[in-house]
Amino acid sequence: MQEAAKQDLFPDPGRREPIEIRRVEHVPERPRRPRFLVAAAGVDQDLLAADLQQVVLPLGVALSEEKDFTRLLERILLEAKKLCHADAGTLYLLDQEKQELRFEILRNDSRKIAMGGTSGVPMSFDPIRLYDDDGNANHAMVVSHSALSGETINISDAYEAQGFDFSGTKGFDAKTGYRSKSFLTVPM
């Protein structure tokens, strides 16, 4: 039964990869919506249209031309950061066999941190498990919940949010002097 549920969550394992985007500035909390562009419906429509023309459409063309998978993933993350005006972002890849999310690319502009992708710096974070040893789904972490549920999650402040475990985020902040603020986590 659980195996069938896992199959439903990731019908095409190569297509559902969560991207976590961190924003420094305050963003008002919006109701959760299952689609990324619908979640952005509260922004100024003229600004969104300009962003779509300047970021999304050229990105679609560039993505169709990019043959290097690592560069493709990095471009997706960088363009998502640009579209959201985010200071930092993380892209995870699903390891279907191990049922975990592997940190693939991390970029933090203000702290000048670049790991994974084309940076040449290996990732130093442990993967995030989707299920525990008893087969229970990990809905404690934002990124695993998003991957399991297919939901886009918008958190206005990780330090005030209830319902998710942000201990890893707070540990990162303590080590680097960073202050993580809002998160937009989108499964792809």
Side-chain angles (χ1 to χ4, degrees):
M1 172 99 173
Q2 184 153 9
E3 191 61 35
K6 289 181 190 177
Q7 293 298 329
D8 291 341
L9 290 172
F10 299 102
D12 183 358
R15 305 298 274 173
R16 297 195 73 169
E17 309 299 344
I19 296 176
E20 182 174 340
I21 298 170
R22 300 176 187 196
R23 296 174 75 173
V24 174
E25 65 274 8
H26 176 73
V27 176
E29 182 113 2
R30 294 188 185 112
R32 282 192 218 168
R33 302 252 166 77
R35 304 261 188 260
F36 176 65
L37 288 178
V38 174
V43 295
D44 181 301
Q45 294 302 310
D46 292 333
L47 212 72
L48 181 59
D51 281 345
L52 288 172
Q53 288 178 342
Q54 294 177 0
V55 177
V56 176
L57 299 176
L59 177 59
V61 172
L63 295 180
S64 67
E65 295 171 350
E66 183 59 65
K67 304 301 180 218
D68 182 306
F69 185 64
T70 301
R71 288 185 191 278
L72 176 67
L73 294 177
E74 193 164 314
R75 180 82 187 261
I76 290 169
L77 177 63
L78 295 176
E79 295 298 334
K81 283 178 61 238
K82 186 187 302 182
L83 182 64
C84 294
H85 308 283
D87 179 57
T90 306
L91 188 138
Y92 305 81
L93 286 181
L94 171 67
D95 183 325
Q96 184 71 30
E97 186 177 313
K98 294 181 180 178
Q99 287 294 292
E100 61 188 20
L101 298 170
R102 187 179 71 238
F103 286 82
E104 190 68 20
I105 303 170
L106 181 142
R107 295 292 182 270
N108 182 308
D109 298 338
S110 63
R111 291 291 181 247
K112 297 182 179 20
I113 299 171
M115 299 171 76
T118 61
S119 72
V121 178
M123 288 300 241
S124 60
F125 304 108
D126 292 330
I128 296 172
R129 295 177 62 191
L130 294 178
Y131 299 92
D132 66 17
D133 291 335
D134 296 326
N136 299 310
N138 176 9
H139 289 283
M141 311 290 275
V142 173
V143 69
S144 58
H145 175 77
S146 180
L148 290 165
S149 67
E151 294 177 333
T152 294
I153 301 170
N154 187 0
I155 303 285
S156 62
D157 192 330
Y159 284 79
E160 295 177 12
Q162 302 293 314
F164 292 108
D165 177 3
F166 285 101
S167 58
T169 298
K170 292 174 182 177
F172 175 86
D173 288 357
K175 287 179 188 174
T176 63
Y178 193 66
R179 169 48 165 97
S180 296
K181 180 91 173 157
S182 57
F183 287 76
L184 178 62
T185 306
V186 181
M188 295 178 59

